[in-house]
């Protein structure tokens, strides 16, 4: 048996609880020895090994088993940490918030329950990955597109619940969510929206019902276990025109997003327009050591050589147009005139033998793939963590964020590797801090850099929308309007919905009363 036990639970009581859990799901689906539990660690973490490790894991195969599990963990006051596919890498992956939690692993619940071609939606369970849903749609001959996150192994439900984004016109995944089934801590099963109507045929058609809308309360929270979720899918358009534009100067970033904003707000460019920096783009094709074996950020001369060799800009802009070909061509004239007005801009509609171009083109038409994961080879050693502040789609805000964050990266010896993505009226800035986990000094420096960026970005008015497990409390404290009234509300809800504090304690800085640090 694992030597780790949940905090506050006696070993003998924990052993009895595991026996009771085994009676529910079967011994094969309760993991307590070291080998299976290694699957529930953050392999890319900025923390030292030996932290955020589970005491056990249990894998139910349906709502009825979940309800029985909750009865047991409530009785023994055992904290559980819920995962779907467990692929939330760069943000903690499948690891728990603290050592000792029991993993509630929902990967066995991986049914695509329904696909509705007429209304354009799917109803899925937590374990359904983007690739699984994509293959299912192809198998049944569907003409619907999914909107995948960059790695194909990610979960459709999990990514939406974490406020994730993709690259087609359906790129805001929570907006495209419609209808949830949730198991509360006391075992009660709730369906949101029209799903609350007995015999409803419109659960995935509209989010609204009589009374408050609760779906958002179960995103990035620990108030319940989501067991079913509807997701809207995009009908295959009659035309698709992807493009890439390279820009030669770092300071072009300001003009890029001043031009992009009206194109996005007016939906001339309907998908998530993204400006990718030189090294993020290059890392899909080469490695840092191929060009430079020194320490610290790359010298400007090396950056210029990479750009020249790979025909890249300091910023590399991807977008796509969709619809009837005449509409696409009319809209392209507007896009071309606007985005090509920046001196030195060069447009591409195809790039031969370019894996970065190929995977972006596939993402923008709803085809999941794993190419982006190859950027881990840039440094080697696997370590990476994403810093993800948000802002308005403003050129000046983009440039201010870039200059601030790039300087801090350089101060700590890291290259800036990032991208800016505009959804509609929001802009996500994804910084990829990459490091060799075997290099302890480098790993610690990455951790220190992240913590500094959290505070400095917040001081400048930029909050993170998503974060790694290790920084959830720090980021929660940056949302401090009116003495942290928002997190006070979170905690009031937590105390009512989960009085024993069993669901994912500490998720997003939301702690049960028994584990809460006095202010």
């Amino acid at each position: 048996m694992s030597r780790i036990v949940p905090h506050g639970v006696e070993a003998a009581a924990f052993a009895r609880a595991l026996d009771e859990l085994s009676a529910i799901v079967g011994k094969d689906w309760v993991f307590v020895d070291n080998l299976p539990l290694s699957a529930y660690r953050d392999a890319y973490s900025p923390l030292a090994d030996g932290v955020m490790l589970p005491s056990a894991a249990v894998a139910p195969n349906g709502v009825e088993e979940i309800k029985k599990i909750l009865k047991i963990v409530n009785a023994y006051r055992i904290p559980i940490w819920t995962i779907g596919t467990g692929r939330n890498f760069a943000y903690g992956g499948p690891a728990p918030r603290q050592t000792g939690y029991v993993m509630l692993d929902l990967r066995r619940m991986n049914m695509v329950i329904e696909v509705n071609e007429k209304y354009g939606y799917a109803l899925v369970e937590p374990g359904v990955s983007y690739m699984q849903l994509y293959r299912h749609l192809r198998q049944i001959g569907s003409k619907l597109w999914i909107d995948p996150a960059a790695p194909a192994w990610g979960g459709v439900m999990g990514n939406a619940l974490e406020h994730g984004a993709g690259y087609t016109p359906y790129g805001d995944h929570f907006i495209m969510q419609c209808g949830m089934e949730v198991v509360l801590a006391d075992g009660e099963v709730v369906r949101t929206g029209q799903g609350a109507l007995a015999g409803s045929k419109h659960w995935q058609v509209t989010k609204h019902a009589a009374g408050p809308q609760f779906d958002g309360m179960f995103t990035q929270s620990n108030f319940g276990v989501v067991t079913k979720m509807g997701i809207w899918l995009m009908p295959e358009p009659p035309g698709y025109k992807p493009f890439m534009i390279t820009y030669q100067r770092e300071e072009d970033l300001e003009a890029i997003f001043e031009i992009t904003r009206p194109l996005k707000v007016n939906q001339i460019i309907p998908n998530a327009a993204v400006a990718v920096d030189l090294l993020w783009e290059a890392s899909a094709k080469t490695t840092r050591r191929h060009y430079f074996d020194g320490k610290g950020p790359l010298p400007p001369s090396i950056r210029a050589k990479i750009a020249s060799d790979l025909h890249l800009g300091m910023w590399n802009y991807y977008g796509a147009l969709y619809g009837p070909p005449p509409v696409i061509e009319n809209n392209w004239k507007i896009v071309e005139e606007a985005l090509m007005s920046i001196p030195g801009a060069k447009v591409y509609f195809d790039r031969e033998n370019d894996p970065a171009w190929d995977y972006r083109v596939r993402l923008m038409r709803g085809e999941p793939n794993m190419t982006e994961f190859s950027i881990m080879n840039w440094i080697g050693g696997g370590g990476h963590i994403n810093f993800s502040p948000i802002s308005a789609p403003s050129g000046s805000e983009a440039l201010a964020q870039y200059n601030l964050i790039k300087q801090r990266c350089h101060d700590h010896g890291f290259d800036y590797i990032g991208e800016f993505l505009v959804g509609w009226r929001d802009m996500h800035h994804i910084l990829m801090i990459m490091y060799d986990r075997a290099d302890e000094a480098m790993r610690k420096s990455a951790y220190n850099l992240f913590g500094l960026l959290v505070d400095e970005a917040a001081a400048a008015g930029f909050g993170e929308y998503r974060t790694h497990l290790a920084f959830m409390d720090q980021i929660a404290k940056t949302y401090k309007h009116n003495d942290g009234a928002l997190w006070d509300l979170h905690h009031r809800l937590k105390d009512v919905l989960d009085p024993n504090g069993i669901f994912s304690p500490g998720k997003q800085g939301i702690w049960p009363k028994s584990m809460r640090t006095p202010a």
Side-chain angles (χ1 to χ4, degrees), residues 117-163:
E117 198 78 14
K118 181 177 181 179
Y119 298 119
Y121 67 77
L123 180 63
V124 300
E125 290 187 321
V128 175
S129 71
Y130 288 112
M131 184 56 75
Q132 180 188 347
L133 179 56
Y134 174 79
R135 288 173 174 167
H136 179 82
L137 293 173
R138 301 288 77 78
Q139 183 179 1
I140 65 175
S142 173
K143 295 297 184 180
L144 297 172
W145 286 10
I146 69 171
D147 186 280
W153 59 14
V156 177
M157 180 187 294
N159 190 268
L161 296 181
E162 288 296 322
H163 303 169

Side-chain angles (χ1 to χ4, degrees), residues 416-436:
Y416 171 89
I417 302 175
E419 66 178 10
F420 289 83
L421 182 150
V422 178
W424 201 335
R425 288 172 173 81
D426 62 289
M427 182 161 63
H428 294 183
H429 181 186
I430 311 299
L431 171 72
M432 181 80 74
I433 304 173
M434 283 196 265
Y435 47 92
D436 181 353

Side-chain angles (χ1 to χ4, degrees), residues 1-71:
M1 181 180 293
S2 168
R3 297 178 182 176
I4 301 172
V5 297
H7 178 73
V9 180
E10 294 183 356
F14 188 48
R16 290 195 300 272
L18 292 176
D19 287 342
E20 293 177 29
L21 292 174
S22 296
I24 294 169
V25 301
K27 289 184 178 181
D28 289 344
W29 299 109
V30 175
F31 308 119
V32 292
D33 63 77
N34 292 332
L35 184 60
L37 289 186
S38 67
Y40 301 101
R41 59 183 286 268
D42 180 5
Y44 310 106
S45 176
L47 300 173
D49 290 336
V51 298
M52 295 184 177
L53 299 177
S55 56
V58 56
N61 197 29
V63 170
E64 291 306 311
E65 289 187 357
I66 290 175
K67 291 166 63 176
K68 294 175 182 178
I69 289 169
L70 294 181
K71 186 174 182 179

Side-chain angles (χ1 to χ4, degrees), residues 24 37-38 59 73 107 111 123 166 201 212 222 244 275 287 325 362 365 419 429 446 459 497:
I24 294 169
L37 289 186
S38 67
V73 297
R107 278 179 277 196
M111 288 181 58
L123 180 63
K201 299 178 181 178
N222 48 16
M244 171 187 177
T287 63
R362 291 173 66 190
R365 69 179 176 221
E419 66 178 10
H429 181 186
L497 292 173

Side-chain angles (χ1 to χ4, degrees), residues 373-407:
F373 217 71
S374 67
I375 70 176
M376 296 301 102
N377 296 325
W378 177 252
I379 294 291
H384 65 290
I385 183 171
N386 284 1
F387 178 70
S388 309
I390 56 176
S391 69
S394 158
S396 60
E397 287 195 5
L399 190 60
Q401 273 196 18
Y402 171 65
N403 286 332
L404 168 68
I405 292 173
K406 180 185 72 170
Q407 185 58 54

